[in-house]
Amino acid sequence: MTVSALQAGQPFPDVTTPKWGGGSVELGKPKDGHDWKLVVVYRGKHCPLCTKYLQTLNEVAPTLGEIGVDVVAVSADSAERAADQLAEVQPAYEVGYDLSVEQMRAMGLYISSPRNGMNAERPFAEPGLFVINGDGRVQIVDISNVPFARPDPHKILMGVKFLRNLEGEFPINGSYA
């Protein structure tokens, strides 16, 4: 399988999913006065590393909000499976669920199938992290094919603070054409 990853500087695709707690969430669109967005794609309920990652995201989400960055996490899990995992996480940010294979592909994510002994109900996305800037472009992208190779949310917070303090004076890394 070939993954066609989103490139730095590209517009983030239009992806909307149901939102845990009701309604829907547009993954790449900041809201509530924020002008940037952090999108964290996690594997789902079957992944204990994801639960820990989402709990760590709780630690940085308020500070990200203070600097104008809206935070959302999303998985391919059903509403029921998402609710089970999120009861343990108690997220301080919005969470989407029911991510489709087409939406995963649009974001350039690695996709895995449930395997013997794995408590997953359907194909799921491997981890992805995207920071979308005020122009709707991918400022930071990190896509992995395993749950243990993803950036520490505290490091993302540090980097985003740095970028936000430059007020648009810093180019999008990796966008040389």
Side-chain angles (χ1 to χ4, degrees), residues 18-41:
K19 182 176 73 172
W20 181 61
S24 62
V25 61
E26 292 180 89
L27 297 187
K29 306 277 191 247
K31 59 184 204 51
D32 297 333
H34 299 98
D35 59 344
W36 282 35
K37 185 93 175 214
L38 169 63
V39 178
V40 173
V41 180

Side-chain angles (χ1 to χ4, degrees), residues 71-177:
V71 178
V72 66
V74 65
S75 78
D77 274 351
S78 65
E80 297 78 25
R81 289 177 62 87
D84 287 347
Q85 186 174 29
L86 298 175
E88 185 176 346
V89 172
Q90 293 298 306
Y93 44 84
E94 289 188 318
V95 178
Y97 61 90
D98 241 354
L99 196 61
S100 71
V101 169
E102 294 77 23
Q103 290 169 322
M104 293 178 220
R105 286 186 176 136
M107 290 187 282
L109 299 165
Y110 287 98
I111 303 168
S112 293
S113 297
R115 299 178 282 286
N116 291 340
M118 179 183 277
N119 181 18
E121 63 185 342
R122 57 179 112 168
F124 58 91
E126 293 295 344
L129 182 144
F130 307 91
V131 175
I132 298 102
N133 66 24
D135 296 326
R137 299 196 175 279
V138 177
Q139 182 79 37
I140 300 171
V141 58
D142 187 88
I143 297 172
S144 181
N145 68 324
V146 292
F148 46 84
R150 55 182 142 189
D152 177 338
H154 292 96
K155 299 273 194 247
I156 294 298
L157 171 60
M158 180 185 69
V160 170
K161 277 182 169 179
F162 172 78
L163 292 171
R164 297 289 304 200
N165 285 334
L166 295 174
E167 298 179 12
E169 296 176 25
F170 198 81
I172 297 174
N173 286 1
S175 58
Y176 178 79

Side-chain angles (χ1 to χ4, degrees), residues 38-56:
L38 169 63
V39 178
V40 173
V41 180
Y42 68 100
R43 299 171 83 222
K45 177 185 172 185
H46 69 277
C47 178
L49 291 175
C50 294
T51 300
K52 289 184 186 307
Y53 195 85
L54 295 174
Q55 289 168 332
T56 303

